[in-house]
Amino acid sequence: MSDLIIGHVIRVHGDSVDVQICCEELDIEHSGKLHRVGRIGSYVVVPVTTGEIIGYVTSVETRGELEPRPNPGAPRRIMMTVQLLGMVRNGEFARGVDEYPVLGDPVRLGLDDDFISIFGAFVQTAFAEQEYPRSFSIGRFAIDPDYEVYCLGREFFGKHVAVMGNSGSGKSCTTAKIVHEVLKLPHSQIVMFDMHGEYLSAFADENLNPDVNVTYLSDRNLVLPYWMLRYEEFEQVFLDANNPANINAQRVFLRGAFEKLKRPAAEQLNLVYDCTIDTPVYYSLDQLRIYAENMNNARYVLGSQSYAFSRLPFRQMPPVEQEKLVQTRKMEFNQGNPEGEVAHATFHSRLLGLVNQLETRLNDRRYDFLLRPFAAAKRNPDLGSTFSENMTPGQLSLATSQVIRQLLGRLKTRKNLTIVDLSGLPFDVVDITVAVLTRALFEFNFWSPVEVRQPVLLVYEEAHNYLPRDPKGRKTFARDAVEKVAKEGRKYGVSAMIVTQRPSEISETVLSQCNTMVLMRMNNPDDQDFAARVVTDQFRTLISLLPGLRPGEAFILGDAVLMPMRTLVDPPPRMPRSANMDFFRLWQTGGREGDVEAVIDRWWRQTRSDTNAPKSAPAPQTPASSAASEGSGDKPLIKVTPREDAGAANERQGFIREDPPPTVEHCEAPAAAEEAGAGEADQQVAITHPAPNSATGKLAALAALLSSKKQ
């Protein structure tokens, strides 16, 4: 292969080498294919004594003086930096380098045969003879789209994963693609926190009816009983911090009230000695409000422990009976400063802010999912008969298990995906909602016996909104809960997928625990620097290539792939509603006229159910039989399809584009929408791979490689 030698090693430093290009022509034709020498992102090979080192070109530059103007000639000394990825020995690729090149070693172009060795080495790991598939397809190799990129499922999900990139880089479509692949497994379980209500359309029909294996929970049918909150979380929602002088009194009251109001449930469940203020057992929120209002006005008979009620019969009751009255019904106290009475030293006139907060939240319909579980359960078909005001405190505490069952899809009909739509919730409780649900799922697996423990994937979409790197003095319950999952979840079968457009604003503890990174286009220098800190040293040089990625293109790093894979991510069968609005086109065409009164009505009712309706029909869904066959363990690792024509693969620009190439199919809007004047509505675009049109020798080469492995 002397005709493929393009340079020599002139410097070796750690995990990279510098190469001086020695060939006169920078365009080399081999086997009918044109190779450009020194192209960033291309692969090269460095032969050494025991094998061949595979490297990745990360930078190219000239050294020495250039010819003066006018009409200078081509640069005489061209250097390129090559990141060392791994070695090929006996036709098998392995990550890592244990024999480094020396100065003067030749460097040649990376060929299709090298790619076959690299991908073929993955076969024994990804498709070992087992009863279940060990990998899933995510897209195609960007350098050579004939090769399909697979990720090892155990490594991808077992040690957490992060999907990071700018808005518009294809994060949502990539996330939907990954989830669609996982849903092919019959016992998979995913809980997705959807910040903007984007993902229902990706897992529902054109009428937004969720698929049979999908549970969709929004502000209309989500049930999160308030007694599942820890004390600090409850305090965050209801404590009135406007008057610092009253904060301590409110805290003292709440701690004492929780112990008293949770006692009936604890007694019925035999938890009296184990119950704490954080134990998630039932207590009445209305009773707490009444108790707080009474204690805000409470007065004692001077020199005794008896409450100074305004009505004499109540004054004469024993203190124990009086305490029950104060906790259960509104009581009247004398106003002013009557003789023989003394105000409560700690609580008098200091709990009014807490009472107002309780009343304000209880009267706000947006908090019904949290504070009025009985009403919210009536809108949830799976939980309608679970919560009733006629049930005892112990029964209501046990009913919480149904909430966990619904999240984990363990109801009468098995569900594999639960989408928690956070877009309609008040922003001040989004953090607590994510925290409570995350903690509940982690604790459930933590306390489950190992033999019955089932793994669950938690997807945190737009995670920078509630997993901040800098809390700025406020409590961040979601960050604490997710950090615990990141640090300890893999041991108990709880994995996290972090999806964000601002990695620099996310908890470094969370991202540093993500063993697999899906890095998409990223322009912000702060985000690039932060991403470079959380990836391994060996791959930090790849961060500089992120701004040049196309929409839908990503670098996949980590143990789930054999080496850093520049990948064209396949679009999911149906798209999430994450596309940008075309301002200029709509300003030109006018679009459809909206009903202002209907919008205001939705505003009043605080419902977004109508706004999430798709404008065009979704792409056809892969039949279940096809999905099952694709997920089988007999599927070959490398799918080799003939190339379209020279350079045609570079026409692929992402999931959505204005002027699609011939390989892009439009999903037209429904006829009913066109009749209603929706002819100008956005068309969703689904990218399809070109159909095979010629034979190729790559499949035969791979078959020979696999045959030799078996022998």
Side-chain angles (χ1 to χ4, degrees), residues 90-158:
N90 300 322
E92 291 188 3
F93 175 83
R95 179 185 292 181
V97 177
D98 55 15
E99 181 184 354
Y100 286 88
V102 297
L103 298 183
D105 278 355
V107 178
R108 67 170 176 84
L109 286 172
L111 303 175
D112 289 345
D113 292 340
D114 300 309
F115 295 147
I116 289 178
S117 296
I118 293 171
F119 283 89
F122 208 47
V123 172
Q124 301 300 324
T125 303
F127 290 93
E129 295 183 2
Q130 296 189 22
E131 298 178 356
Y132 58 90
R134 296 193 60 190
S135 63
F136 66 94
S137 171
I138 192 171
R140 293 181 176 270
F141 192 34
I143 305 300
D144 190 341
D146 289 348
Y147 296 97
E148 200 162 358
V149 176
Y150 282 77
C151 298
L152 294 175
R154 177 178 178 178
E155 286 73 10
F156 192 89
F157 298 109

Side-chain angles (χ1 to χ4, degrees), residues 40-57:
I40 290 180
S42 60
Y43 291 81
V44 297
V45 178
V46 184
V48 291
T49 304
T50 60
E52 294 179 321
I53 300 175
I54 303 296
Y56 189 86
V57 179

Side-chain angles (χ1 to χ4, degrees), residues 225 393-394 500 518 651-652 696:
T500 180
V518 181
E651 290 297 319
R652 175 176 168 146
T696 177

